[in-house]
Amino acid sequence: MITLRGLTKRFGPTTAVDDLTLDIGPGQVTGFLGPNGAGKSTTMRMVLGLDRPTAGRALVDGRPYRELRHPLYQVGALLDATGIHPARSGRAHLTATARSNGVPARRVDEVLDLVGLDGRAVAKPGRALSLGMAQRLGIAAALLGDPPVLLLDEPVNGLDPDGVRWIRRFTRDLADEGRTVLLSSHLMSEMQQTADRVVVLGRGRLIADAPLAELIAAG
Ligand code: ADP
Ligand code: ADP
């Protein structure tokens, strides 16, 4: 469960997120829809404790990220594929993250399996990963702690059609398993494919918040 209360972030003269109040609950995909610069990433970064709110609060299970007892087990995120260290193999990245968070090593193979990656294929150091593989690795990392809350920031950007289909189905499955999934996109078509509820952001403000069917009916 994600709770936003009066959440606001200013960068100098720019108000990136403007007094956002929302509850994002389990068992569905909540879509964050808005053009580039609408404040989607900044909101997610505040939920993950990576940006500090100027005002208001972003909570996971009632606590700010920095006060979570077991963050890796409570919330996972795919922000972009750049978190993967190029000099390390994909597998080593997962193994290191698992180790530093007290996740049993066998979980690395489990999450690779979940995202359909062959452990041997991603084990070679320095191997250039396709964006699709990098995305899958990023999702595998986010799933290490089997967290009930997942944030996916523009996950289909730049993927080939197979990758897009896979991410959509995987996102749906995560919600159908009962997780809280927040998915951002600048495309209504992504919302139509995957979201149950759509929160529309513009210039950091909440513009609309409705079940997908209602939004489509309203045109
Ligand atoms: P979105 O994810 O919807 O594209 P962002 O949250 O990335 O939107 O950006 C919202 C606004 O905040 C934009 O105007 C962006 O330029 C600005 N912004 C985001 N991060 C920073 C930063 N670190 N410094 C200054 N401005 C930022
Ligand atoms: P560290 O290796 O010290 O945990 P990172 O740069 O990997 O540092 O992560 C910074 C913070 O972001 C940490 O508190 C970590 O728990 C959190 N974090 C990293 N990856 C994820 C993820 N996929 N989902 C949620 N939180 C994450």
Side-chain angles (χ1 to χ4, degrees), residues 32-138:
F32 247 17
L33 175 66
N36 284 337
K40 307 182 295 296
S41 299
T42 303
T43 300
M44 289 186 174
R45 290 176 57 79
M46 288 191 283
V47 172
L48 294 167
L50 298 171
D51 272 335
R52 207 187 152 79
T54 307
R57 290 179 297 168
L59 309 174
V60 177
D61 294 337
R63 289 170 183 265
Y65 186 89
R66 285 171 200 289
E67 291 175 20
L68 295 179
R69 297 227 173 83
H70 305 288
L72 198 83
Y73 293 87
Q74 290 175 268
V75 56
L78 179 74
L79 294 187
D80 55 47
T82 57
I84 292 164
H85 200 289
R88 270 187 187 170
S89 76
R91 199 167 194 295
H93 170 78
L94 289 185
T95 304
T97 307
R99 188 178 300 127
S100 66
N101 286 281
V103 175
R106 64 174 140 64
R107 181 73 184 149
V108 170
D109 289 310
E110 278 175 26
V111 294
L112 285 173
D113 204 44
L114 276 175
V115 301
L117 284 178
D118 177 345
R120 280 162 307 177
V122 293
K124 297 197 184 89
R127 185 197 151 110
L129 294 172
S130 69
L131 182 61
M133 276 178 104
Q135 293 283 69
R136 285 182 197 231
L137 269 178

Side-chain angles (χ1 to χ4, degrees), residues 9-12 14-17 32-45 51 153-154 184-186 201 203-204:
K9 179 68 179 182
R10 283 188 280 272
F11 294 105
T14 305
T15 302
V17 177
F32 247 17
L33 175 66
N36 284 337
K40 307 182 295 296
S41 299
T42 303
T43 300
M44 289 186 174
R45 290 176 57 79
D51 272 335
D153 195 6
E154 300 267 8
S184 81
S185 178
H186 59 287
L201 292 186
R203 296 174 186 236

